[in-house]
Amino acid sequence: ESCFPIVGPGTVLPMPRVVLALLAFAAALERPLGVDGVVPARGYVARRPALPAWQLQRRRGSSSPLLCAAGPAAQSKTSAARRPRLLLGALVLIYVSNQWCRALPASLVRFGSGGSAHEFMNVALELDEVQYGLLSSYAFTALYSVASLAAGAACDIFARAPVLVAASALWSGAAALQGCASSYPQLLASRAVLGVSQAFCSPAAYPLIGEAFSKDSRGRANAVYSSGLYIGYALASLSALANRRIGWGGGSLPT
């Protein structure tokens, strides 16, 4: 039985869909780490702090027992080693949500005969092909392209983790409004907000990955993060299977 209360045909109560991802992200960033566990500068970031001597020697391959004794306890080392992985996992979840929300409308429409208002967005809101084209192009893509320029500048000035969390919450709310939309203007507005907020995702995520992983593992970390794009698109396609049961509005909630 669905845990999302249905108010009316194609209408659902909004709820956050990336709560677990944001909680994991907040836990991983409670004390953000840089390369080899070094805490990067906060706020208006300008410089990376110097590494302790024992870490410099470890990176150079030294095995001096005196330097090793100056390092943290084994438990702290294990915790520090896990934090970049927790960060990467949270970033992947957020990126999956990003791409799922972006690609979802294509799975919520069917033009031609045989569609029901409960299952398809275009039937419920009486959309034609031109309106849907505007919805998926200018209402999202044009705003996304322009907002990406501002997003890059913002992520160079402000702390990236809060920027990413705020953007995630904003596009999560926009996706909920999409599921609750009862008219074309409401749907158009939700996609516009979605386009602007999602533009901040990758400009904030890639620098965070660069700070958390060394140059030897940064390429693999970026590849893992990029896989979220394809997972999100796959989940958007699979959402069509759930539309019959929970409706096109309910299909917007898990994203």
Side-chain angles (χ1 to χ4, degrees):
E1 184 177 356
S2 174
C3 61
F4 308 120
I6 305 298
V7 176
T11 306
V12 292
L13 294 179
M15 64 159 289
R17 286 146 309 281
V18 289
V19 172
L20 294 179
L22 293 182
L23 288 177
F25 187 71
L29 294 177
E30 184 179 358
R31 187 173 179 266
L33 297 175
V35 176
D36 288 326
V38 178
V39 180
R42 301 299 299 272
Y44 298 88
V45 180
R47 295 180 180 178
R48 185 186 299 277
L51 293 174
W54 69 272
Q55 287 190 345
L56 287 172
Q57 292 298 327
R58 187 183 68 179
R59 294 180 68 181
R60 293 170 184 168
S62 172
S63 57
S64 171
L66 293 178
L67 289 174
C68 290
Q75 185 176 1
S76 299
K77 288 183 180 180
T78 303
S79 176
R82 290 177 179 173
R83 295 178 75 85
R85 297 178 183 177
L86 292 175
L87 169 64
L88 181 59
L91 290 175
V92 170
L93 289 177
I94 290 176
Y95 198 37
V96 167
S97 171
N98 181 299
Q99 299 301 318
W100 192 350
C101 290
R102 181 184 304 187
L104 186 61
S107 301
L108 301 179
V109 297
R110 174 186 290 177
F111 293 99
S113 59
S116 66
H118 173 73
E119 188 176 353
F120 297 107
M121 175 176 66
N122 63 304
V123 179
L125 302 181
E126 300 180 351
L127 307 182
D128 57 28
E129 288 88 343
V130 174
Q131 290 175 313
Y132 174 72
L134 178 62
L135 185 72
S136 59
S137 58
Y138 293 106
F140 178 90
T141 307
L143 289 175
Y144 182 93
S145 301
V146 174
S148 293
L149 302 176
C155 291
D156 283 339
I157 297 174
F158 302 104
R160 288 138 188 165
V163 169
L164 183 54
V165 170
S168 301
L170 188 59
W171 85 58
S172 182
L177 291 178
Q178 173 183 289
C180 295
S182 58
S183 65
Y184 181 67
Q186 293 177 3
L187 194 62
L188 204 64
S190 69
R191 291 297 290 180
V193 174
L194 195 74
V196 172
S197 57
Q198 288 194 341
F200 287 79
C201 183
S202 288
Y206 281 118
L208 287 172
I209 293 174
E211 292 172 355
F213 290 86
S214 66
K215 63 180 182 179
D216 296 331
S217 59
R218 199 170 296 151
R220 292 190 297 272
N222 285 328
V224 171
Y225 172 75
S226 298
S227 68
L229 186 154
Y230 306 102
I231 297 173
Y233 269 73
L235 289 174
S237 299
L238 291 174
S239 298
L241 301 176
N243 289 350
R244 292 184 179 181
R245 185 172 185 270
I246 62 177
W248 70 267
S252 298
L253 287 178
T255 59

